[in-house]
């Protein structure tokens, strides 16, 4: 009996940077800003209520709370501006990839043969701008393995149909 198993060492790898990544739709930045502003509006209202009721007995220190919230809002917006350009995706013949991140960079690639199903979601703000989120789920996991936010709805439907045809075929 001869052993036919081979496990040859790999010396060269495909360059991930050679992939032609596409940018997320620019209108999605408006969605991000609206979400950030809603969050901070809620925080300002909450802080105003606490200061008005004087539950924490802050005295004159309430100015520091609002200053910190404004500073946090500015820093958040700056990070969103800088990080937005890093959100990119690529659909290839056998997989889909998504990369994002400014400080914590991530690149997720899901081969089509691992995909269980694909969903398209639209929140109220995204729907207003005609945008959608494409979520890709793989077998054996209850959460989405890849989520691309900020695609045009038509574009997300095309990608979903392409992936569905690949996993059904």
């Amino acid at each position: 009996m001869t052993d036919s198993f081979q496990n040859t060492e790999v010396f060269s790898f495909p360059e991930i940077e050679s992939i032609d990544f596409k940018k997320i739709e620019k209108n999605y930045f408006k969605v991000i800003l609206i979400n950030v502003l809603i969050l901070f509006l809620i925080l300002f209202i909450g802080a105003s209520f606490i200061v008005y009721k004087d539950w924490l007995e802050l005295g004159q220190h309430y100015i520091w709370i609002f200053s910190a919230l404004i500073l946090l809002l500015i820093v958040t917006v700056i990070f969103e501006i800088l990080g937005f350009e890093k959100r990119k995706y690529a659909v290839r013949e056998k997989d889909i990839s998504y990369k994002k991140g400014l400080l914590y960079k991530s690149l997720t690639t899901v081969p089509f043969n691992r995909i269980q199903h694909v969903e398209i979601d639209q929140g109220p703000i995204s729907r207003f701008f005609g945008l959608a989120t494409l979520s890709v789920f793989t077998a054996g996991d209850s959460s989405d393995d890849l989520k691309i936010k900020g695609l045009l709805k038509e574009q997300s439907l095309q990608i979903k149909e392409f992936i569905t045809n690949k996993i059904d075929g």
Side-chain angles (χ1 to χ4, degrees):
M1 258 187 159
T2 60
D3 192 323
S4 64
F5 175 75
Q6 292 183 1
N7 194 5
T8 309
E9 191 173 343
V10 177
F11 292 102
S12 65
F13 302 99
E15 292 291 324
I16 197 75
E17 297 304 321
S18 66
I19 297 175
D20 183 27
F21 281 93
K22 295 181 175 142
K23 293 182 178 183
I24 298 302
E25 197 62 34
K26 289 185 179 186
N27 272 342
Y28 185 62
F29 186 69
K30 295 175 186 174
V31 174
I32 292 171
L33 284 182
I34 290 170
N35 286 331
V36 166
L37 291 176
I38 289 171
L39 172 67
F40 276 92
L41 181 64
I42 292 168
L43 290 174
F44 275 108
I45 290 171
S48 298
F49 188 72
I50 289 172
V51 167
Y52 175 73
K53 291 292 186 181
D54 203 23
W55 285 342
L56 302 178
E57 298 176 8
L58 298 171
Q60 297 297 324
H61 299 295
Y62 63 88
I63 244 12
W64 292 106
I65 292 173
F66 291 107
S67 298
L69 281 174
I70 290 170
L71 181 64
L72 186 60
L73 173 63
I74 292 168
V75 169
T76 302
V77 169
I78 289 171
F79 271 96
E80 289 296 345
I81 290 169
L82 296 174
F84 183 75
E85 290 296 318
K86 304 293 183 186
R87 297 172 187 237
K88 298 179 182 181
Y89 71 97
V91 179
R92 300 188 298 173
E93 186 179 333
K94 297 183 184 214
D95 60 28
I96 183 168
S97 297
Y98 180 63
K99 66 179 183 176
K100 65 178 182 173
L102 185 61
L103 296 177
Y104 297 100
K105 296 181 180 187
S106 72
L107 171 63
T108 305
T109 300
V110 179
F112 294 146
N113 63 358
R114 298 269 303 135
I115 294 176
Q116 197 73 21
H117 72 281
V118 182
E119 290 181 2
I120 295 173
D121 301 310
Q122 280 186 298
I125 300 169
S126 292
R127 189 177 314 118
F128 179 78
F129 289 101
L131 302 174
T133 298
L134 181 82
S135 298
V136 175
F137 297 82
T138 60
D141 197 359
S142 60
S143 66
D144 50 355
D145 294 294
L146 183 122
K147 186 180 275 194
I148 304 174
K149 298 179 179 183
L151 297 172
L152 288 172
K153 184 171 182 189
E154 300 80 31
Q155 193 175 30
S156 62
L157 288 169
Q158 289 172 349
I159 294 170
K160 179 183 179 185
E161 185 176 335
F162 178 77
I163 293 172
T164 303
N165 288 334
K166 288 289 189 176
I167 60 178
D168 287 343

